Amino acid sequence: MAGQFELGSKHIECMKLANQNISEIQDTNTKEIAKKMLAKTYGFLPSESHVYDDYLGLTVAMEEIAKVNSGVASVLADQVILREIVKAYGNNNANTVLSSKETIGILCSESGLASISNISTKAVRNNGQWTIKGTKQISNEQLLSENYLVFAQDEEGLIRLFVIPEDQITIDIVNKNIASTKISLSHAVIDLTVGDNAHIGVINDEFEYVQTVARTLVAATSVGIAHSALITSIGVAKEVRNDDGQAISSSQNMQFTLADMFAEIEASRMLTYFSANSIDENKANIKLATMAKVKASDIAAKSSVDVLHILGNIGYLSNIDFANVVLRAVDNQVKGGTNRTQMAKIYQYMLAKK
């Protein structure tokens, strides 16, 4: 679908290659698919990858992967962010992390966390060891990880980074009943002691650059989800007939719904590409990335729900695979700080003229 941000032939090839590579993998296990994509250097920094060489290429590749498998795109985005963190803040121990072929989940988010400086997970050093205690939010895709990058605050207020094997972290599942429906929420409970070799770095700045890349990638996966929702909607609207034997796409109400969906997705896509291109031009902008993340994840969630209404015309059942797409779309609204929190941040960036 054409947009106002013109992609060059290089980035169009990145899109085609990403779609081809994710589509040709004959596997249903998200972790295994992610590993196979990592072997092709998806999930690597542009300077390390063989399939893209800038952040715009990375962004369009993540969007294409999300169109086919949003769970895999989420896992790969985490690997990119991990590498950004290690590159900016890693110590000598960090090299072993990058040489590993295992997937690593990032455990930073906490309930009510608005800023990285407010992390409540604590790390206390004693006799060459670190005692880490805290609780982190964890997504379904992160549950597939073999190791975790844990953010914790030391006694001096510094944010320290630790790599912890998944078998040393307890996953606590809390069940809540909402409108007679059981909702399961997963938390990673951390209460352990590790050696100095698990400590891989210290965050010593505002963390803005990494957050800019992270929010741009969340936006990219969200655009991919929204795009898939739109394509599904168009297909159903053309296929299903009303009582008069006409396709429901002939209804002005349906046309308005699809046109609005298309316009919002295109606007989100352009904002996402603009943010990625700004990173490539050494003008990384946290405000642009945050706006892209909010707009793209909101339209992904809305489009996914709209598709459910349209799918109702062909007898949608809540246990089909599309329900997982809705969950991932909503998850992106929460990832890295809820969109409500991000809107407050956008207001602050606006006042600061960032």
mmCIF file of all heavy atoms in Angstrom, residues 22 30-31 33-34 65-78 139-142 144 221 225 324-325 328 335:
data_model
loop_
_atom_site.group_PDB
_atom_site.id
_atom_site.type_symbol
_atom_site.label_atom_id
_atom_site.label_comp_id
_atom_site.label_asym_id
_atom_site.label_seq_id
_atom_site.Cartn_x
_atom_site.Cartn_y
_atom_site.Cartn_z
ATOM 1 N N ILE A 22 10.236 -15.278 6.543
ATOM 2 C CA ILE A 22 9.325 -15.717 7.608
ATOM 3 C C ILE A 22 8.281 -16.683 7.060
ATOM 4 O O ILE A 22 7.862 -17.619 7.738
ATOM 5 C CB ILE A 22 8.653 -14.503 8.302
ATOM 6 C CG1 ILE A 22 7.822 -14.950 9.505
ATOM 7 C CG2 ILE A 22 7.794 -13.710 7.345
ATOM 8 C CD1 ILE A 22 8.602 -15.497 10.656
ATOM 9 N N THR A 30 6.730 -20.661 18.132
ATOM 10 C CA THR A 30 7.225 -19.278 18.047
ATOM 11 C C THR A 30 8.707 -19.177 18.368
ATOM 12 O O THR A 30 9.458 -18.480 17.662
ATOM 13 C CB THR A 30 6.421 -18.377 18.998
ATOM 14 O OG1 THR A 30 5.038 -18.393 18.614
ATOM 15 C CG2 THR A 30 6.931 -16.942 18.954
ATOM 16 N N LYS A 31 9.147 -19.862 19.416
ATOM 17 C CA LYS A 31 10.560 -19.791 19.797
ATOM 18 C C LYS A 31 11.459 -20.332 18.690
ATOM 19 O O LYS A 31 12.483 -19.729 18.356
ATOM 20 C CB LYS A 31 10.811 -20.575 21.079
ATOM 21 C CG LYS A 31 12.274 -20.499 21.554
ATOM 22 C CD LYS A 31 12.610 -21.560 22.573
ATOM 23 C CE LYS A 31 11.991 -21.302 23.904
ATOM 24 N NZ LYS A 31 12.495 -22.220 24.965
ATOM 25 N N ILE A 33 10.801 -20.616 15.460
ATOM 26 C CA ILE A 33 10.773 -19.724 14.295
ATOM 27 C C ILE A 33 11.683 -18.522 14.555
ATOM 28 O O ILE A 33 12.454 -18.101 13.682
ATOM 29 C CB ILE A 33 9.341 -19.242 14.004
ATOM 30 C CG1 ILE A 33 8.429 -20.418 13.659
ATOM 31 C CG2 ILE A 33 9.338 -18.236 12.844
ATOM 32 C CD1 ILE A 33 6.960 -20.055 13.536
ATOM 33 N N ALA A 34 11.600 -17.970 15.776
ATOM 34 C CA ALA A 34 12.439 -16.814 16.126
ATOM 35 C C ALA A 34 13.919 -17.173 16.027
ATOM 36 O O ALA A 34 14.735 -16.378 15.526
ATOM 37 C CB ALA A 34 12.098 -16.326 17.525
ATOM 38 N N ILE A 65 7.425 -9.061 9.112
ATOM 39 C CA ILE A 65 7.405 -10.275 9.934
ATOM 40 C C ILE A 65 6.139 -10.302 10.793
ATOM 41 O O ILE A 65 5.498 -11.341 10.947
ATOM 42 C CB ILE A 65 8.676 -10.351 10.806
ATOM 43 C CG1 ILE A 65 9.908 -10.551 9.921
ATOM 44 C CG2 ILE A 65 8.574 -11.490 11.828
ATOM 45 C CD1 ILE A 65 11.228 -10.368 10.631
ATOM 46 N N ALA A 66 5.761 -9.137 11.334
ATOM 47 C CA ALA A 66 4.557 -9.056 12.175
ATOM 48 C C ALA A 66 3.293 -9.355 11.392
ATOM 49 O O ALA A 66 2.317 -9.863 11.948
ATOM 50 C CB ALA A 66 4.459 -7.672 12.822
ATOM 51 N N LYS A 67 3.293 -9.050 10.097
ATOM 52 C CA LYS A 67 2.122 -9.357 9.268
ATOM 53 C C LYS A 67 1.871 -10.865 9.221
ATOM 54 O O LYS A 67 0.731 -11.314 9.136
ATOM 55 C CB LYS A 67 2.322 -8.833 7.845
ATOM 56 C CG LYS A 67 2.288 -7.321 7.719
ATOM 57 C CD LYS A 67 2.615 -6.903 6.283
ATOM 58 C CE LYS A 67 2.701 -5.386 6.147
ATOM 59 N NZ LYS A 67 3.090 -4.979 4.771
ATOM 60 N N VAL A 68 2.957 -11.642 9.279
ATOM 61 C CA VAL A 68 2.857 -13.097 9.195
ATOM 62 C C VAL A 68 2.781 -13.733 10.575
ATOM 63 O O VAL A 68 1.984 -14.644 10.820
ATOM 64 C CB VAL A 68 4.059 -13.675 8.408
ATOM 65 C CG1 VAL A 68 3.994 -15.204 8.356
ATOM 66 C CG2 VAL A 68 4.115 -13.087 7.015
ATOM 67 N N ASN A 69 3.617 -13.254 11.506
ATOM 68 C CA ASN A 69 3.658 -13.830 12.852
ATOM 69 C C ASN A 69 4.070 -12.742 13.837
ATOM 70 O O ASN A 69 5.258 -12.477 14.012
ATOM 71 C CB ASN A 69 4.633 -15.009 12.900
ATOM 72 C CG ASN A 69 4.514 -15.821 14.179
ATOM 73 O OD1 ASN A 69 4.376 -15.279 15.268
ATOM 74 N ND2 ASN A 69 4.576 -17.145 14.042
ATOM 75 N N SER A 70 3.101 -12.134 14.472
ATOM 76 C CA SER A 70 3.385 -11.002 15.369
ATOM 77 C C SER A 70 4.161 -11.443 16.605
ATOM 78 O O SER A 70 4.931 -10.659 17.168
ATOM 79 C CB SER A 70 2.079 -10.317 15.782
ATOM 80 O OG SER A 70 1.188 -11.237 16.386
ATOM 81 N N GLY A 71 3.981 -12.697 17.038
ATOM 82 C CA GLY A 71 4.725 -13.190 18.193
ATOM 83 C C GLY A 71 6.211 -13.252 17.917
ATOM 84 O O GLY A 71 7.038 -12.850 18.749
ATOM 85 N N VAL A 72 6.582 -13.738 16.744
ATOM 86 C CA VAL A 72 7.991 -13.814 16.357
ATOM 87 C C VAL A 72 8.576 -12.405 16.236
ATOM 88 O O VAL A 72 9.703 -12.143 16.676
ATOM 89 C CB VAL A 72 8.147 -14.577 15.029
ATOM 90 C CG1 VAL A 72 9.568 -14.449 14.486
ATOM 91 C CG2 VAL A 72 7.782 -16.043 15.224
ATOM 92 N N ALA A 73 7.821 -11.476 15.654
ATOM 93 C CA ALA A 73 8.290 -10.094 15.526
ATOM 94 C C ALA A 73 8.585 -9.488 16.894
ATOM 95 O O ALA A 73 9.575 -8.778 17.068
ATOM 96 C CB ALA A 73 7.253 -9.255 14.786
ATOM 97 N N SER A 74 7.732 -9.785 17.869
ATOM 98 C CA SER A 74 7.931 -9.264 19.226
ATOM 99 C C SER A 74 9.211 -9.819 19.847
ATOM 100 O O SER A 74 9.983 -9.079 20.472
ATOM 101 C CB SER A 74 6.719 -9.619 20.087
ATOM 102 O OG SER A 74 6.879 -9.147 21.399
ATOM 103 N N VAL A 75 9.458 -11.116 19.665
ATOM 104 C CA VAL A 75 10.681 -11.738 20.195
ATOM 105 C C VAL A 75 11.918 -11.128 19.537
ATOM 106 O O VAL A 75 12.898 -10.790 20.212
ATOM 107 C CB VAL A 75 10.658 -13.266 19.975
ATOM 108 C CG1 VAL A 75 12.009 -13.886 20.349
ATOM 109 C CG2 VAL A 75 9.554 -13.917 20.796
ATOM 110 N N LEU A 76 11.884 -10.954 18.218
ATOM 111 C CA LEU A 76 13.029 -10.398 17.496
ATOM 112 C C LEU A 76 13.282 -8.945 17.880
ATOM 113 O O LEU A 76 14.439 -8.512 17.986
ATOM 114 C CB LEU A 76 12.807 -10.521 15.991
ATOM 115 C CG LEU A 76 12.770 -11.948 15.426
ATOM 116 C CD1 LEU A 76 12.439 -11.928 13.941
ATOM 117 C CD2 LEU A 76 14.093 -12.662 15.665
ATOM 118 N N ALA A 77 12.214 -8.186 18.097
ATOM 119 C CA ALA A 77 12.374 -6.789 18.521
ATOM 120 C C ALA A 77 13.099 -6.722 19.858
ATOM 121 O O ALA A 77 13.959 -5.855 20.069
ATOM 122 C CB ALA A 77 11.009 -6.114 18.615
ATOM 123 N N ASP A 78 12.770 -7.646 20.759
ATOM 124 C CA ASP A 78 13.460 -7.703 22.053
ATOM 125 C C ASP A 78 14.958 -7.958 21.880
ATOM 126 O O ASP A 78 15.787 -7.422 22.628
ATOM 127 C CB ASP A 78 12.858 -8.800 22.938
ATOM 128 C CG ASP A 78 11.841 -8.256 23.935
ATOM 129 O OD1 ASP A 78 11.489 -7.061 23.835
ATOM 130 O OD2 ASP A 78 11.392 -9.022 24.814
ATOM 131 N N SER A 139 5.400 -10.732 29.274
ATOM 132 C CA SER A 139 4.427 -11.047 28.219
ATOM 133 C C SER A 139 4.496 -12.526 27.852
ATOM 134 O O SER A 139 5.434 -13.237 28.231
ATOM 135 C CB SER A 139 4.705 -10.200 26.970
ATOM 136 O OG SER A 139 5.937 -10.598 26.378
ATOM 137 N N ASN A 140 3.521 -12.980 27.091
ATOM 138 C CA ASN A 140 3.501 -14.379 26.660
ATOM 139 C C ASN A 140 4.726 -14.726 25.817
ATOM 140 O O ASN A 140 5.282 -15.818 25.942
ATOM 141 C CB ASN A 140 2.224 -14.665 25.863
ATOM 142 C CG ASN A 140 0.989 -14.695 26.739
ATOM 143 O OD1 ASN A 140 1.071 -14.958 27.940
ATOM 144 N ND2 ASN A 140 -0.167 -14.411 26.152
ATOM 145 N N GLU A 141 5.160 -13.813 24.940
ATOM 146 C CA GLU A 141 6.326 -14.076 24.118
ATOM 147 C C GLU A 141 7.589 -14.156 24.969
ATOM 148 O O GLU A 141 8.474 -14.971 24.714
ATOM 149 C CB GLU A 141 6.501 -12.986 23.045
ATOM 150 C CG GLU A 141 5.531 -13.079 21.889
ATOM 151 C CD GLU A 141 4.138 -12.619 22.276
ATOM 152 O OE1 GLU A 141 4.022 -11.726 23.140
ATOM 153 O OE2 GLU A 141 3.157 -13.150 21.724
ATOM 154 N N GLN A 142 7.680 -13.318 26.000
ATOM 155 C CA GLN A 142 8.861 -13.345 26.858
ATOM 156 C C GLN A 142 8.942 -14.630 27.677
ATOM 157 O O GLN A 142 10.032 -15.039 28.083
ATOM 158 C CB GLN A 142 8.843 -12.133 27.791
ATOM 159 C CG GLN A 142 9.144 -10.826 27.069
ATOM 160 C CD GLN A 142 8.994 -9.612 27.963
ATOM 161 O OE1 GLN A 142 8.156 -9.595 28.863
ATOM 162 N NE2 GLN A 142 9.784 -8.585 27.717
ATOM 163 N N LEU A 144 8.809 -17.417 26.555
ATOM 164 C CA LEU A 144 9.524 -18.384 25.724
ATOM 165 C C LEU A 144 11.038 -18.230 25.837
ATOM 166 O O LEU A 144 11.783 -19.048 25.301
ATOM 167 C CB LEU A 144 9.110 -18.213 24.257
ATOM 168 C CG LEU A 144 7.621 -18.337 23.942
ATOM 169 C CD1 LEU A 144 7.364 -17.959 22.486
ATOM 170 C CD2 LEU A 144 7.119 -19.744 24.225
ATOM 171 N N THR A 221 5.790 -3.357 14.697
ATOM 172 C CA THR A 221 5.032 -4.609 14.844
ATOM 173 C C THR A 221 3.540 -4.321 14.918
ATOM 174 O O THR A 221 2.729 -5.094 14.393
ATOM 175 C CB THR A 221 5.481 -5.390 16.089
ATOM 176 O OG1 THR A 221 5.317 -4.587 17.265
ATOM 177 C CG2 THR A 221 6.949 -5.790 15.991
ATOM 178 N N ILE A 225 0.479 -5.777 12.513
ATOM 179 C CA ILE A 225 -0.753 -6.390 13.015
ATOM 180 C C ILE A 225 -1.972 -5.699 12.417
ATOM 181 O O ILE A 225 -2.923 -6.342 11.952
ATOM 182 C CB ILE A 225 -0.795 -6.314 14.558
ATOM 183 C CG1 ILE A 225 0.278 -7.214 15.170
ATOM 184 C CG2 ILE A 225 -2.179 -6.716 15.081
ATOM 185 C CD1 ILE A 225 0.462 -7.032 16.669
ATOM 186 N N ASN A 324 -5.591 -14.480 19.344
ATOM 187 C CA ASN A 324 -4.223 -14.215 19.794
ATOM 188 C C ASN A 324 -3.681 -12.927 19.186
ATOM 189 O O ASN A 324 -2.874 -12.226 19.800
ATOM 190 C CB ASN A 324 -3.309 -15.384 19.427
ATOM 191 C CG ASN A 324 -3.624 -16.630 20.227
ATOM 192 O OD1 ASN A 324 -4.021 -16.539 21.380
ATOM 193 N ND2 ASN A 324 -3.460 -17.787 19.611
ATOM 194 N N VAL A 325 -4.118 -12.607 17.969
ATOM 195 C CA VAL A 325 -3.698 -11.360 17.331
ATOM 196 C C VAL A 325 -4.222 -10.167 18.115
ATOM 197 O O VAL A 325 -3.519 -9.183 18.335
ATOM 198 C CB VAL A 325 -4.193 -11.308 15.868
ATOM 199 C CG1 VAL A 325 -3.851 -9.961 15.235
ATOM 200 C CG2 VAL A 325 -3.580 -12.433 15.067
ATOM 201 N N ARG A 328 -2.102 -9.683 21.208
ATOM 202 C CA ARG A 328 -0.796 -9.066 20.942
ATOM 203 C C ARG A 328 -0.948 -7.587 20.622
ATOM 204 O O ARG A 328 -0.088 -6.779 20.982
ATOM 205 C CB ARG A 328 -0.097 -9.805 19.800
ATOM 206 C CG ARG A 328 0.341 -11.208 20.198
ATOM 207 C CD ARG A 328 1.316 -11.809 19.204
ATOM 208 N NE ARG A 328 1.617 -13.173 19.604
ATOM 209 C CZ ARG A 328 1.119 -14.258 19.026
ATOM 210 N NH1 ARG A 328 0.278 -14.113 18.016
ATOM 211 N NH2 ARG A 328 1.437 -15.459 19.438
ATOM 212 N N LYS A 335 3.051 -2.392 26.448
ATOM 213 C CA LYS A 335 4.497 -2.644 26.439
ATOM 214 C C LYS A 335 5.301 -1.346 26.522
ATOM 215 O O LYS A 335 5.015 -0.386 25.819
ATOM 216 C CB LYS A 335 4.858 -3.406 25.163
ATOM 217 C CG LYS A 335 6.304 -3.860 25.099
ATOM 218 C CD LYS A 335 6.553 -4.673 23.848
ATOM 219 C CE LYS A 335 5.842 -6.007 23.892
ATOM 220 N NZ LYS A 335 6.141 -6.825 22.694
#
